[in-house]
Amino acid sequence: MGDIVPTNEKEYNGYLFDQLSLLEEIEEAAEKENAVETLKLIQKKRRQIERKLYQNPPLTGSLQ
């Protein structure tokens, strides 16, 4: 992927939600295959993304 620089917090959050959506799709496939290690990695990545998405205080003003 290229370097994508979000212009504001709303756009940045959109990218994070897209990442969560991708993880959900990968998780479905991993569950069907009972891929335990992959499921553990997905959970780790989800926590990392959610930490950015729901951080307090929000990023307001820092991405401009």
Side-chain angles (χ1 to χ4, degrees):
M1 290 177 67
D3 292 327
I4 299 173
V5 180
T7 58
N8 58 47
E9 185 176 359
K10 184 176 180 179
E11 185 177 354
Y12 182 68
N13 286 346
Y15 290 125
L16 294 174
F17 279 118
D18 288 345
Q19 291 177 2
L20 287 174
S21 294
L22 285 171
L23 283 177
E24 288 172 355
E25 292 178 33
I26 295 168
E27 185 175 30
E28 285 179 25
E31 285 174 347
K32 288 179 183 176
E33 298 175 11
N34 198 25
V36 176
E37 293 303 313
T38 302
L39 289 167
K40 288 180 185 177
L41 180 58
I42 290 168
Q43 289 301 319
K44 178 181 177 182
K45 291 297 176 188
R46 178 178 282 121
R47 285 191 306 271
Q48 292 171 346
I49 294 167
E50 288 175 346
R51 191 167 42 242
K52 292 176 188 177
L53 187 59
Y54 302 116
Q55 68 184 350
N56 198 5
L59 296 172
T60 305
S62 65
L63 291 176
Q64 298 174 355

Short mmCIF file of all heavy atoms in Angstrom, two decimals:
data_model
loop_
_atom_site.label_atom_id
_atom_site.label_comp_id
_atom_site.label_asym_id
_atom_site.label_seq_id
_atom_site.Cartn_x
_atom_site.Cartn_y
_atom_site.Cartn_z
N MET A 1 0.84 -1.18 0.00
CA MET A 1 0.00 0.00 0.00
C MET A 1 0.88 1.24 0.00
O MET A 1 1.94 1.26 0.58
CB MET A 1 -0.90 0.01 1.23
CG MET A 1 -1.97 -1.05 1.20
SD MET A 1 -2.99 -1.09 2.70
CE MET A 1 -3.83 0.47 2.57
N GLY A 2 0.39 2.30 -0.64
CA GLY A 2 1.12 3.55 -0.67
C GLY A 2 0.93 4.29 0.64
O GLY A 2 0.19 3.90 1.52
N ASP A 3 1.64 5.39 0.71
CA ASP A 3 1.52 6.23 1.89
C ASP A 3 0.25 7.05 1.79
O ASP A 3 0.13 7.93 0.95
CB ASP A 3 2.73 7.16 2.02
CG ASP A 3 4.00 6.41 2.33
OD1 ASP A 3 3.92 5.38 3.02
OD2 ASP A 3 5.06 6.87 1.89
N ILE A 4 -0.71 6.74 2.64
CA ILE A 4 -1.97 7.46 2.67
C ILE A 4 -1.96 8.35 3.90
O ILE A 4 -1.83 7.88 5.02
CB ILE A 4 -3.18 6.50 2.73
CG1 ILE A 4 -3.18 5.61 1.50
CG2 ILE A 4 -4.46 7.27 2.85
CD1 ILE A 4 -4.22 4.52 1.54
N VAL A 5 -2.06 9.66 3.68
CA VAL A 5 -2.05 10.60 4.79
C VAL A 5 -3.46 11.17 4.93
O VAL A 5 -3.91 11.92 4.08
CB VAL A 5 -1.03 11.74 4.54
CG1 VAL A 5 -1.03 12.71 5.71
CG2 VAL A 5 0.36 11.17 4.31
N PRO A 6 -4.16 10.78 5.98
CA PRO A 6 -5.51 11.31 6.18
C PRO A 6 -5.46 12.81 6.46
O PRO A 6 -4.51 13.30 7.06
CB PRO A 6 -6.03 10.54 7.39
CG PRO A 6 -4.85 9.95 8.04
CD PRO A 6 -3.75 9.87 7.02
N THR A 7 -6.47 13.52 6.03
CA THR A 7 -6.50 14.96 6.22
C THR A 7 -7.19 15.39 7.50
O THR A 7 -7.01 16.50 7.95
CB THR A 7 -7.20 15.64 5.03
OG1 THR A 7 -8.53 15.11 4.92
CG2 THR A 7 -6.46 15.41 3.74
N ASN A 8 -7.98 14.51 8.08
CA ASN A 8 -8.65 14.87 9.33
C ASN A 8 -8.98 13.61 10.11
O ASN A 8 -8.82 12.49 9.64
CB ASN A 8 -9.90 15.71 9.06
CG ASN A 8 -10.89 14.98 8.18
OD1 ASN A 8 -11.19 13.81 8.40
ND2 ASN A 8 -11.42 15.66 7.17
N GLU A 9 -9.47 13.82 11.31
CA GLU A 9 -9.76 12.69 12.20
C GLU A 9 -10.85 11.78 11.64
O GLU A 9 -10.77 10.56 11.74
CB GLU A 9 -10.17 13.20 13.58
CG GLU A 9 -10.37 12.08 14.59
CD GLU A 9 -10.67 12.59 15.98
OE1 GLU A 9 -10.71 13.82 16.19
OE2 GLU A 9 -10.87 11.75 16.86
N LYS A 10 -11.87 12.37 11.02
CA LYS A 10 -12.96 11.57 10.45
C LYS A 10 -12.43 10.64 9.36
O LYS A 10 -12.78 9.46 9.32
CB LYS A 10 -14.04 12.50 9.88
CG LYS A 10 -15.25 11.77 9.36
CD LYS A 10 -16.31 12.74 8.90
CE LYS A 10 -17.53 12.01 8.39
NZ LYS A 10 -18.58 12.93 7.95
N GLU A 11 -11.55 11.14 8.50
CA GLU A 11 -10.97 10.32 7.45
C GLU A 11 -10.09 9.22 8.06
O GLU A 11 -10.14 8.07 7.64
CB GLU A 11 -10.15 11.19 6.51
CG GLU A 11 -9.61 10.44 5.31
CD GLU A 11 -8.85 11.35 4.36
OE1 GLU A 11 -8.83 12.57 4.55
OE2 GLU A 11 -8.27 10.81 3.40
N TYR A 12 -9.31 9.58 9.06
CA TYR A 12 -8.44 8.61 9.74
C TYR A 12 -9.28 7.50 10.37
O TYR A 12 -8.98 6.32 10.23
CB TYR A 12 -7.61 9.33 10.81
CG TYR A 12 -6.63 8.44 11.54
CD1 TYR A 12 -5.53 7.89 10.89
CD2 TYR A 12 -6.80 8.15 12.89
CE1 TYR A 12 -4.63 7.08 11.56
CE2 TYR A 12 -5.90 7.35 13.57
CZ TYR A 12 -4.82 6.82 12.90
OH TYR A 12 -3.93 6.01 13.56
N ASN A 13 -10.37 7.88 11.04
CA ASN A 13 -11.26 6.89 11.64
C ASN A 13 -11.87 5.98 10.58
O ASN A 13 -12.06 4.79 10.80
CB ASN A 13 -12.36 7.57 12.46
CG ASN A 13 -11.84 8.12 13.77
OD1 ASN A 13 -10.75 7.80 14.21
ND2 ASN A 13 -12.63 8.98 14.38
N GLY A 14 -12.16 6.54 9.41
CA GLY A 14 -12.68 5.74 8.31
C GLY A 14 -11.71 4.65 7.91
O GLY A 14 -12.10 3.51 7.66
N TYR A 15 -10.43 4.99 7.85
CA TYR A 15 -9.41 3.98 7.53
C TYR A 15 -9.36 2.90 8.60
O TYR A 15 -9.20 1.72 8.30
CB TYR A 15 -8.02 4.62 7.37
CG TYR A 15 -7.89 5.48 6.15
CD1 TYR A 15 -7.47 6.80 6.25
CD2 TYR A 15 -8.17 4.99 4.88
CE1 TYR A 15 -7.34 7.60 5.13
CE2 TYR A 15 -8.04 5.77 3.75
CZ TYR A 15 -7.63 7.08 3.88
OH TYR A 15 -7.50 7.87 2.77
N LEU A 16 -9.47 3.31 9.86
CA LEU A 16 -9.45 2.33 10.95
C LEU A 16 -10.66 1.40 10.88
O LEU A 16 -10.53 0.19 11.08
CB LEU A 16 -9.38 3.04 12.31
CG LEU A 16 -8.10 3.82 12.58
CD1 LEU A 16 -8.23 4.59 13.89
CD2 LEU A 16 -6.88 2.92 12.60
N PHE A 17 -11.84 1.95 10.57
CA PHE A 17 -13.03 1.11 10.44
C PHE A 17 -12.87 0.15 9.26
O PHE A 17 -13.30 -1.00 9.33
CB PHE A 17 -14.29 1.96 10.28
CG PHE A 17 -14.83 2.49 11.58
CD1 PHE A 17 -14.91 3.85 11.81
CD2 PHE A 17 -15.27 1.62 12.57
CE1 PHE A 17 -15.41 4.33 13.01
CE2 PHE A 17 -15.77 2.09 13.78
CZ PHE A 17 -15.84 3.47 13.99
N ASP A 18 -12.24 0.61 8.17
CA ASP A 18 -11.98 -0.28 7.03
C ASP A 18 -11.08 -1.44 7.46
O ASP A 18 -11.29 -2.59 7.04
CB ASP A 18 -11.32 0.48 5.88
CG ASP A 18 -12.28 1.41 5.17
OD1 ASP A 18 -13.51 1.28 5.36
OD2 ASP A 18 -11.79 2.29 4.42
N GLN A 19 -10.08 -1.14 8.28
CA GLN A 19 -9.20 -2.20 8.77
C GLN A 19 -9.96 -3.21 9.62
O GLN A 19 -9.75 -4.42 9.51
CB GLN A 19 -8.03 -1.60 9.57
CG GLN A 19 -7.06 -0.84 8.71
CD GLN A 19 -5.95 -0.20 9.52
OE1 GLN A 19 -5.88 -0.34 10.74
NE2 GLN A 19 -5.08 0.52 8.84
N LEU A 20 -10.86 -2.71 10.46
CA LEU A 20 -11.67 -3.61 11.28
C LEU A 20 -12.56 -4.49 10.40
O LEU A 20 -12.74 -5.68 10.68
CB LEU A 20 -12.54 -2.82 12.27
CG LEU A 20 -11.80 -2.19 13.45
CD1 LEU A 20 -12.75 -1.30 14.25
CD2 LEU A 20 -11.16 -3.24 14.33
N SER A 21 -13.10 -3.93 9.33
CA SER A 21 -13.93 -4.71 8.41
C SER A 21 -13.14 -5.83 7.76
O SER A 21 -13.62 -6.96 7.63
CB SER A 21 -14.53 -3.80 7.33
OG SER A 21 -15.43 -2.89 7.90
N LEU A 22 -11.92 -5.52 7.35
CA LEU A 22 -11.06 -6.55 6.76
C LEU A 22 -10.77 -7.66 7.76
O LEU A 22 -10.80 -8.85 7.42
CB LEU A 22 -9.74 -5.94 6.28
CG LEU A 22 -9.81 -5.13 5.01
CD1 LEU A 22 -8.50 -4.40 4.77
CD2 LEU A 22 -10.13 -6.02 3.83
N LEU A 23 -10.48 -7.27 9.00
CA LEU A 23 -10.23 -8.28 10.03
C LEU A 23 -11.43 -9.19 10.25
O LEU A 23 -11.28 -10.39 10.46
CB LEU A 23 -9.84 -7.62 11.36
CG LEU A 23 -8.43 -7.08 11.46
CD1 LEU A 23 -8.23 -6.40 12.81
CD2 LEU A 23 -7.40 -8.17 11.27
N GLU A 24 -12.63 -8.62 10.18
CA GLU A 24 -13.84 -9.42 10.36
C GLU A 24 -13.95 -10.48 9.26
O GLU A 24 -14.31 -11.63 9.54
CB GLU A 24 -15.08 -8.53 10.35
CG GLU A 24 -15.22 -7.69 11.61
CD GLU A 24 -16.35 -6.67 11.51
OE1 GLU A 24 -16.97 -6.54 10.44
OE2 GLU A 24 -16.58 -5.98 12.52
N GLU A 25 -13.65 -10.10 8.03
CA GLU A 25 -13.73 -11.05 6.92
C GLU A 25 -12.67 -12.14 7.06
O GLU A 25 -12.96 -13.33 6.84
CB GLU A 25 -13.55 -10.31 5.60
CG GLU A 25 -14.73 -9.41 5.28
CD GLU A 25 -14.54 -8.65 3.97
OE1 GLU A 25 -13.91 -9.19 3.05
OE2 GLU A 25 -15.03 -7.51 3.89
N ILE A 26 -11.47 -11.76 7.45
CA ILE A 26 -10.41 -12.75 7.65
C ILE A 26 -10.76 -13.67 8.81
O ILE A 26 -10.53 -14.88 8.76
CB ILE A 26 -9.05 -12.04 7.89
CG1 ILE A 26 -8.64 -11.26 6.65
CG2 ILE A 26 -7.97 -13.05 8.29
CD1 ILE A 26 -7.49 -10.30 6.87
N GLU A 27 -11.36 -13.10 9.85
CA GLU A 27 -11.75 -13.88 11.02
C GLU A 27 -12.77 -14.95 10.65
O GLU A 27 -12.69 -16.09 11.13
CB GLU A 27 -12.31 -12.95 12.09
CG GLU A 27 -12.63 -13.65 13.39
CD GLU A 27 -13.08 -12.67 14.46
OE1 GLU A 27 -13.67 -11.62 14.13
OE2 GLU A 27 -12.84 -12.95 15.64
N GLU A 28 -13.73 -14.61 9.79
CA GLU A 28 -14.72 -15.59 9.35
C GLU A 28 -14.05 -16.80 8.70
O GLU A 28 -14.40 -17.95 9.00
CB GLU A 28 -15.71 -14.95 8.37
CG GLU A 28 -16.71 -14.04 9.01
CD GLU A 28 -17.65 -13.40 8.00
OE1 GLU A 28 -17.86 -13.99 6.92
OE2 GLU A 28 -18.16 -12.31 8.29
N ALA A 29 -13.10 -16.54 7.82
CA ALA A 29 -12.40 -17.63 7.14
C ALA A 29 -11.57 -18.43 8.14
O ALA A 29 -11.54 -19.66 8.08
CB ALA A 29 -11.50 -17.06 6.04
N ALA A 30 -10.92 -17.75 9.07
CA ALA A 30 -10.09 -18.44 10.07
C ALA A 30 -10.93 -19.32 10.98
O ALA A 30 -10.51 -20.42 11.36
CB ALA A 30 -9.30 -17.41 10.88
N GLU A 31 -12.14 -18.86 11.31
CA GLU A 31 -13.02 -19.66 12.17
C GLU A 31 -13.46 -20.93 11.44
O GLU A 31 -13.53 -22.00 12.04
CB GLU A 31 -14.24 -18.84 12.60
CG GLU A 31 -13.91 -17.81 13.67
CD GLU A 31 -15.07 -16.90 13.99
OE1 GLU A 31 -16.07 -16.88 13.25
OE2 GLU A 31 -14.98 -16.17 15.00
N LYS A 32 -13.76 -20.81 10.15
CA LYS A 32 -14.16 -21.98 9.37
C LYS A 32 -13.05 -23.03 9.31
O LYS A 32 -13.31 -24.22 9.28
CB LYS A 32 -14.55 -21.57 7.95
CG LYS A 32 -15.87 -20.83 7.89
CD LYS A 32 -16.20 -20.43 6.47
CE LYS A 32 -17.48 -19.61 6.43
NZ LYS A 32 -17.78 -19.12 5.07
N GLU A 33 -11.80 -22.55 9.29
CA GLU A 33 -10.65 -23.45 9.20
C GLU A 33 -10.10 -23.81 10.57
O GLU A 33 -9.12 -24.54 10.67
CB GLU A 33 -9.56 -22.81 8.35
CG GLU A 33 -9.99 -22.56 6.92
CD GLU A 33 -8.94 -21.82 6.12
OE1 GLU A 33 -7.80 -21.68 6.59
OE2 GLU A 33 -9.28 -21.38 5.01
N ASN A 34 -10.71 -23.26 11.63
CA ASN A 34 -10.24 -23.48 12.99
C ASN A 34 -8.75 -23.12 13.12
O ASN A 34 -7.97 -23.86 13.73
CB ASN A 34 -10.50 -24.92 13.44
CG ASN A 34 -10.43 -25.05 14.95
OD1 ASN A 34 -10.65 -24.09 15.68
ND2 ASN A 34 -10.12 -26.25 15.41
N ALA A 35 -8.37 -21.98 12.55
CA ALA A 35 -6.99 -21.51 12.55
C ALA A 35 -6.74 -20.71 13.84
O ALA A 35 -6.84 -19.48 13.85
CB ALA A 35 -6.72 -20.67 11.32
N VAL A 36 -6.40 -21.41 14.88
CA VAL A 36 -6.29 -20.82 16.22
C VAL A 36 -5.25 -19.70 16.27
O VAL A 36 -5.50 -18.63 16.82
CB VAL A 36 -5.97 -21.90 17.27
CG1 VAL A 36 -5.76 -21.30 18.64
CG2 VAL A 36 -7.08 -22.93 17.30
N GLU A 37 -4.08 -19.92 15.70
CA GLU A 37 -3.02 -18.91 15.74
C GLU A 37 -3.43 -17.66 14.96
O GLU A 37 -3.15 -16.54 15.38
CB GLU A 37 -1.70 -19.47 15.22
CG GLU A 37 -1.09 -20.54 16.11
CD GLU A 37 -0.87 -20.05 17.55
OE1 GLU A 37 -0.32 -18.95 17.74
OE2 GLU A 37 -1.23 -20.79 18.49
N THR A 38 -4.09 -17.85 13.84
CA THR A 38 -4.57 -16.72 13.05
C THR A 38 -5.61 -15.94 13.83
O THR A 38 -5.61 -14.70 13.83
CB THR A 38 -5.14 -17.20 11.70
OG1 THR A 38 -4.14 -17.92 11.00
CG2 THR A 38 -5.62 -16.03 10.86
N LEU A 39 -6.50 -16.63 14.51
CA LEU A 39 -7.52 -15.96 15.32
C LEU A 39 -6.89 -15.15 16.45
O LEU A 39 -7.34 -14.05 16.76
CB LEU A 39 -8.51 -16.98 15.87
CG LEU A 39 -9.44 -17.60 14.83
CD1 LEU A 39 -10.17 -18.80 15.40
CD2 LEU A 39 -10.43 -16.56 14.31
N LYS A 40 -5.82 -15.66 17.05
CA LYS A 40 -5.11 -14.91 18.10
C LYS A 40 -4.51 -13.64 17.53
O LYS A 40 -4.57 -12.57 18.15
CB LYS A 40 -4.02 -15.77 18.72
CG LYS A 40 -4.52 -16.87 19.61
CD LYS A 40 -3.36 -17.67 20.17
CE LYS A 40 -3.82 -18.86 20.98
NZ LYS A 40 -2.69 -19.67 21.48
N LEU A 41 -3.92 -13.73 16.35
CA LEU A 41 -3.32 -12.56 15.71
C LEU A 41 -4.40 -11.53 15.35
O LEU A 41 -4.21 -10.33 15.53
CB LEU A 41 -2.54 -12.97 14.46
CG LEU A 41 -1.86 -11.85 13.69
CD1 LEU A 41 -0.89 -11.08 14.57
CD2 LEU A 41 -1.15 -12.42 12.47
N ILE A 42 -5.53 -11.99 14.88
CA ILE A 42 -6.64 -11.10 14.55
C ILE A 42 -7.09 -10.34 15.80
O ILE A 42 -7.33 -9.13 15.74
CB ILE A 42 -7.81 -11.88 13.93
CG1 ILE A 42 -7.43 -12.38 12.54
CG2 ILE A 42 -9.09 -11.03 13.89
CD1 ILE A 42 -8.39 -13.40 11.96
N GLN A 43 -7.21 -11.03 16.92
CA GLN A 43 -7.62 -10.37 18.16
C GLN A 43 -6.61 -9.30 18.58
O GLN A 43 -6.98 -8.21 19.02
CB GLN A 43 -7.80 -11.40 19.29
CG GLN A 43 -9.01 -12.28 19.10
CD GLN A 43 -10.29 -11.47 19.03
OE1 GLN A 43 -10.50 -10.52 19.76
NE2 GLN A 43 -11.16 -11.83 18.10
N LYS A 44 -5.33 -9.62 18.42
CA LYS A 44 -4.27 -8.67 18.76
C LYS A 44 -4.38 -7.43 17.87
O LYS A 44 -4.34 -6.30 18.37
CB LYS A 44 -2.90 -9.32 18.59
CG LYS A 44 -1.75 -8.40 18.86
CD LYS A 44 -0.42 -9.10 18.64
CE LYS A 44 0.75 -8.16 18.84
NZ LYS A 44 2.03 -8.84 18.59
N LYS A 45 -4.54 -7.63 16.58
CA LYS A 45 -4.65 -6.51 15.64
C LYS A 45 -5.91 -5.69 15.91
O LYS A 45 -5.89 -4.47 15.83
CB LYS A 45 -4.63 -7.00 14.19
CG LYS A 45 -3.30 -7.55 13.76
CD LYS A 45 -2.26 -6.44 13.82
CE LYS A 45 -0.88 -6.93 13.50
NZ LYS A 45 0.13 -5.88 13.74
N ARG A 46 -7.01 -6.35 16.25
CA ARG A 46 -8.25 -5.64 16.56
C ARG A 46 -8.05 -4.73 17.77
O ARG A 46 -8.48 -3.57 17.76
CB ARG A 46 -9.39 -6.62 16.82
CG ARG A 46 -10.69 -5.90 17.19
CD ARG A 46 -11.85 -6.84 17.41
NE ARG A 46 -12.35 -7.25 16.10
CZ ARG A 46 -12.41 -8.51 15.68
NH1 ARG A 46 -12.04 -9.48 16.46
NH2 ARG A 46 -12.87 -8.79 14.48
N ARG A 47 -7.39 -5.23 18.80
CA ARG A 47 -7.13 -4.40 19.98
C ARG A 47 -6.27 -3.19 19.63
O ARG A 47 -6.52 -2.07 20.11
CB ARG A 47 -6.45 -5.22 21.08
CG ARG A 47 -7.37 -6.18 21.81
CD ARG A 47 -6.73 -6.77 23.05
NE ARG A 47 -5.44 -7.41 22.81
CZ ARG A 47 -5.27 -8.69 22.47
NH1 ARG A 47 -6.31 -9.48 22.36
NH2 ARG A 47 -4.07 -9.18 22.27
N GLN A 48 -5.27 -3.38 18.78
CA GLN A 48 -4.40 -2.27 18.38
C GLN A 48 -5.19 -1.21 17.62
O GLN A 48 -5.03 -0.01 17.87
CB GLN A 48 -3.24 -2.79 17.51
CG GLN A 48 -2.26 -3.63 18.28
CD GLN A 48 -1.25 -4.32 17.38
OE1 GLN A 48 -1.41 -4.40 16.16
NE2 GLN A 48 -0.19 -4.84 17.98
N ILE A 49 -6.03 -1.63 16.69
CA ILE A 49 -6.83 -0.69 15.91
C ILE A 49 -7.83 0.03 16.80
O ILE A 49 -7.99 1.25 16.72
CB ILE A 49 -7.55 -1.42 14.75
CG1 ILE A 49 -6.52 -1.95 13.75
CG2 ILE A 49 -8.55 -0.49 14.07
CD1 ILE A 49 -7.08 -2.94 12.75
N GLU A 50 -8.50 -0.71 17.67
CA GLU A 50 -9.49 -0.10 18.56
C GLU A 50 -8.85 0.88 19.53
O GLU A 50 -9.44 1.90 19.87
CB GLU A 50 -10.28 -1.17 19.30
CG GLU A 50 -11.24 -1.91 18.39
CD GLU A 50 -11.96 -3.07 19.05
OE1 GLU A 50 -11.54 -3.50 20.15
OE2 GLU A 50 -12.94 -3.54 18.45
N ARG A 51 -7.63 0.60 19.93
CA ARG A 51 -6.92 1.52 20.82
C ARG A 51 -6.73 2.87 20.11
O ARG A 51 -6.92 3.93 20.71
CB ARG A 51 -5.58 0.91 21.21
CG ARG A 51 -4.87 1.63 22.31
CD ARG A 51 -3.69 0.87 22.91
NE ARG A 51 -2.85 0.18 21.96
CZ ARG A 51 -2.67 -1.15 21.92
NH1 ARG A 51 -3.30 -1.93 22.78
NH2 ARG A 51 -1.88 -1.69 21.04
N LYS A 52 -6.40 2.84 18.83
CA LYS A 52 -6.24 4.08 18.06
C LYS A 52 -7.60 4.74 17.84
O LYS A 52 -7.73 5.96 17.95
CB LYS A 52 -5.62 3.78 16.70
CG LYS A 52 -4.19 3.34 16.76
CD LYS A 52 -3.70 2.99 15.36
CE LYS A 52 -2.33 2.36 15.39
NZ LYS A 52 -1.90 1.97 14.03
N LEU A 53 -8.59 3.94 17.52
CA LEU A 53 -9.91 4.46 17.17
C LEU A 53 -10.61 5.11 18.36
O LEU A 53 -11.24 6.15 18.23
CB LEU A 53 -10.78 3.32 16.62
CG LEU A 53 -12.13 3.68 16.06
CD1 LEU A 53 -11.99 4.66 14.90
CD2 LEU A 53 -12.84 2.42 15.58
N TYR A 54 -10.47 4.51 19.52
CA TYR A 54 -11.20 4.99 20.70
C TYR A 54 -10.30 5.66 21.72
O TYR A 54 -10.66 5.77 22.88
CB TYR A 54 -11.96 3.82 21.34
CG TYR A 54 -12.91 3.17 20.39
CD1 TYR A 54 -12.73 1.85 20.00
CD2 TYR A 54 -13.96 3.88 19.83
CE1 TYR A 54 -13.61 1.24 19.10
CE2 TYR A 54 -14.83 3.29 18.93
CZ TYR A 54 -14.66 1.98 18.58
OH TYR A 54 -15.51 1.39 17.69
N GLN A 55 -9.13 6.15 21.28
CA GLN A 55 -8.22 6.77 22.22
C GLN A 55 -8.83 8.01 22.84
O GLN A 55 -9.67 8.68 22.25
CB GLN A 55 -6.89 7.11 21.56
CG GLN A 55 -6.96 8.20 20.52
CD GLN A 55 -5.63 8.39 19.86
OE1 GLN A 55 -4.63 7.85 20.29
NE2 GLN A 55 -5.58 9.17 18.81
N ASN A 56 -8.39 8.30 24.04
CA ASN A 56 -8.88 9.45 24.78
C ASN A 56 -7.67 10.22 25.30
O ASN A 56 -6.86 9.63 26.01
CB ASN A 56 -9.75 8.99 25.92
CG ASN A 56 -10.63 10.09 26.46
OD1 ASN A 56 -10.66 11.18 25.91
ND2 ASN A 56 -11.33 9.80 27.53
N PRO A 57 -7.48 11.45 24.96
CA PRO A 57 -8.34 12.30 24.15
C PRO A 57 -8.21 11.96 22.66
O PRO A 57 -7.21 11.38 22.24
CB PRO A 57 -7.82 13.72 24.42
CG PRO A 57 -6.39 13.52 24.74
CD PRO A 57 -6.30 12.18 25.43
N PRO A 58 -9.22 12.32 21.88
CA PRO A 58 -9.17 12.04 20.45
C PRO A 58 -8.08 12.84 19.75
O PRO A 58 -7.47 13.72 20.34
CB PRO A 58 -10.56 12.47 19.95
CG PRO A 58 -11.09 13.38 20.98
CD PRO A 58 -10.43 12.99 22.27
N LEU A 59 -7.86 12.53 18.50
CA LEU A 59 -6.78 13.15 17.73
C LEU A 59 -7.10 14.55 17.26
O LEU A 59 -6.26 15.18 16.64
CB LEU A 59 -6.51 12.30 16.48
CG LEU A 59 -5.97 10.90 16.73
CD1 LEU A 59 -5.94 10.14 15.41
CD2 LEU A 59 -4.58 10.96 17.32
N THR A 60 -8.27 15.06 17.51
CA THR A 60 -8.73 16.33 16.97
C THR A 60 -7.62 17.37 16.96
O THR A 60 -7.00 17.65 17.98
CB THR A 60 -9.93 16.87 17.78
OG1 THR A 60 -10.94 15.87 17.79
CG2 THR A 60 -10.46 18.14 17.18
N GLY A 61 -7.40 17.90 15.76
CA GLY A 61 -6.40 18.96 15.60
C GLY A 61 -5.00 18.47 15.33
O GLY A 61 -4.17 19.20 14.85
N SER A 62 -4.69 17.22 15.60
CA SER A 62 -3.32 16.74 15.45
C SER A 62 -3.01 16.18 14.08
O SER A 62 -1.88 15.90 13.78
CB SER A 62 -3.01 15.68 16.52
OG SER A 62 -3.81 14.54 16.31
N LEU A 63 -4.04 16.01 13.22
CA LEU A 63 -3.79 15.45 11.90
C LEU A 63 -3.83 16.51 10.80
O LEU A 63 -3.81 16.19 9.64
CB LEU A 63 -4.83 14.36 11.58
CG LEU A 63 -4.71 13.10 12.38
CD1 LEU A 63 -5.85 12.15 12.04
CD2 LEU A 63 -3.39 12.41 12.12
N GLN A 64 -3.90 17.74 11.15
CA GLN A 64 -4.00 18.78 10.13
C GLN A 64 -2.68 19.40 9.84
O GLN A 64 -1.75 19.38 10.51
CB GLN A 64 -4.99 19.85 10.57
CG GLN A 64 -6.37 19.25 10.75
CD GLN A 64 -7.35 20.23 11.34
OE1 GLN A 64 -7.01 21.33 11.71
NE2 GLN A 64 -8.60 19.82 11.42
#
